[in-house]
Amino acid sequence: MPSHDSVSPDDDSPDEDIPLGNPADALALIERERANLVRDIAPDPRLMYWPWGFAWLLGFGLFFLRFGPGGRVYADLPDWLPIIALMLLFIAAGVTTGFAGSRPLRRTSGPSSRAGLIYGWSWSISFFSFSVLFSRLAPELPDPKAGLLWAGGMVALTGALHMAGSAIWQDRQLFVLGAWTSAVNIAGIVAGPGWHSLIVGASAAAA
């Protein structure tokens, strides 16, 4: 028989032994149990969104101060500081998001549980892979374009993973967030170094 997701047996329901008087009561009970299940397996939205808001504001704020539009320097920071800070902030946010997404599904068994665990690992592996790739390519580019490579690539990966996560939890808001992230990132990349940091950072502040 095909496997189905199920909540762990230690989750007792107070409605199990309540007799059902009519079909309307049965439907109401089903809806309550379905809502309880969704609440149990849905990730905490604070851990899904807040780490990225913090990473964007701080990381792109540093980028804008060091590599402003037209090559302007608003703060005399070391060239490497914005890139390293953004990389570490994005990795931390990705690990937090992956953990938050996979943790609730550990209480279930079946395909959704496996999907959540795989999704959690996908964040860490993807960001580590991009970091290795960019660390090889960035030294061949001028500092402003190297910064754009790091920033644009990491934001692109974030948007794609958010949209992938929406398919797991059937969360429309998560898809909208991923699509919005991708659109803002594209606009910033087209505008060029300096402007990218300003556009992406401003979108995070507005959100």
Side-chain angles (χ1 to χ4, degrees):
M1 294 180 64
S3 61
H4 297 281
D5 297 339
S6 59
V7 179
S8 301
D10 57 348
D11 295 331
D12 296 328
S13 173
D15 296 321
E16 283 183 355
D17 300 325
I18 298 177
L20 303 179
N22 54 58
D25 292 337
L27 290 175
L29 176 59
I30 291 173
E31 288 301 320
R32 287 199 302 271
E33 292 302 312
R34 180 180 299 174
N36 290 336
L37 178 60
V38 171
R39 185 177 63 251
D40 287 340
I41 68 175
D44 187 340
R46 295 170 297 180
L47 294 178
M48 297 295 289
Y49 304 138
W50 289 2
W52 291 108
F54 176 77
W56 282 35
L57 285 175
L58 181 56
F60 288 112
L62 291 175
F63 253 101
F64 177 75
L65 293 175
R66 178 58 184 86
F67 303 109
R72 183 172 181 179
V73 177
Y74 293 95
D76 189 16
L77 303 172
D79 294 347
W80 53 267
L81 179 59
I83 296 176
I84 296 299
L86 186 69
M87 178 185 68
L88 293 178
L89 287 167
F90 268 49
I91 290 175
V95 170
T96 302
T97 300
F99 178 77
S102 63
R103 185 178 181 183
L105 291 175
R106 294 173 188 170
R107 301 181 59 191
T108 69
S109 60
S112 292
S113 178
R114 291 190 295 271
L117 292 175
I118 293 172
Y119 180 68
W121 277 106
S122 297
W123 280 91
S124 301
I125 295 172
S126 298
F127 273 95
F128 179 75
S129 299
F130 267 54
S131 298
V132 173
L133 174 63
F134 293 163
S135 66
R136 294 295 301 272
L137 296 178
E140 308 298 325
L141 300 172
D143 288 337
K145 291 188 176 180
L148 183 61
L149 174 68
W150 276 96
M154 291 297 189
V155 176
L157 180 59
T158 301
L161 287 172
H162 276 318
M163 289 186 285
S166 72
I168 297 177
W169 294 290
Q170 298 296 299
D171 188 338
R172 183 176 300 178
Q173 291 183 345
L174 194 57
F175 178 82
V176 171
L177 175 63
W180 168 252
T181 298
S182 300
V184 169
N185 188 48
I186 292 171
I189 292 173
V190 172
W195 293 108
H196 179 269
S197 302
L198 179 61
I199 292 171
V200 175
S203 70

